[in-house]
Amino acid sequence: MYTFVQSTHSHMRWLIMLTAVLAIVLPMLNQNHSSKSKTPALVFMIFCDLQLLLGFLLYFGLSPFGVNSFGAGMSTIMKTPEIRKIVVEHFTLMLLAIAMVHIGYSKIKKATDQNTVKKLSLKFFGIALVLILLGIPWYKL
């Protein structure tokens, strides 16, 4: 079970990055304000939420690099870069990214013109994408 969830979580990062780029770029190309202009943001948020669910399954149960790592002590976690990256940095940065996605989508949903959608998408989803890129444990590829 761990291997399946971890592999799915790992491969889904590409969908997250693709939908993030689409959520940033597509509103820039769209000139008319409609409910369709908010769809890329919704899709991005849904994929992020699915990824968060998989991450929580790993962090709080299945993975030896989640809460199970705290048995070794916080000093051991912080001294071991590979464990620290997952247990502290990845977890924190991804939660911040998810928060940016949800805040951004909430504001986009209330937007009344396309220029506001463009600005909010660039600001919130851009920050979320940077946080995601910083938080991904690239050494595990």
Side-chain angles (χ1 to χ4, degrees):
M1 181 73 162
Y2 166 71
T3 307
F4 173 75
V5 175
Q6 196 278 332
S7 177
T8 305
H9 183 71
S10 179
H11 288 91
M12 204 165 153
R13 86 179 88 183
W14 303 112
L15 285 173
I16 298 292
M17 288 190 282
L18 175 66
T19 57
V21 169
L22 291 175
I24 293 168
V25 172
L26 289 179
M28 302 299 168
L29 302 175
N30 190 1
Q31 298 302 320
N32 301 325
H33 182 69
S34 68
S35 61
K36 287 184 178 182
S37 64
K38 300 171 186 180
T39 303
L42 177 63
V43 172
F44 178 43
M45 186 180 72
I46 289 170
F47 275 114
C48 284
D49 288 346
L50 290 172
Q51 185 75 327
L52 178 67
L53 177 63
L54 292 173
F56 278 170
L57 282 172
L58 290 167
Y59 194 82
F60 293 109
L62 300 175
S63 176
F65 295 107
V67 293
N68 296 330
S69 298
F70 288 101
M74 197 63 180
S75 63
T76 304
I77 291 171
M78 296 309 283
K79 289 178 186 174
T80 313
E82 296 84 19
I83 297 173
R84 183 184 66 234
K85 177 67 178 177
I86 299 294
V87 175
V88 178
E89 296 169 13
H90 178 71
F91 184 76
T92 305
L93 289 171
M94 295 307 169
L95 283 180
L96 290 172
I98 293 285
M100 294 305 292
V101 170
H102 276 267
I103 293 167
Y105 179 71
S106 175
K107 290 182 177 286
I108 286 170
K109 197 167 64 172
K110 297 173 187 171
T112 57
D113 64 288
Q114 189 60 24
N115 284 334
T116 306
V117 172
K118 290 177 184 180
K119 289 176 188 175
L120 292 171
S121 294
L122 183 60
K123 183 191 321 187
F124 285 97
F125 299 153
I127 292 170
L129 182 58
V130 168
L131 290 171
I132 289 167
L133 291 171
L134 288 173
I136 290 175
W138 294 105
Y139 66 89
K140 288 188 141 205
L141 287 178

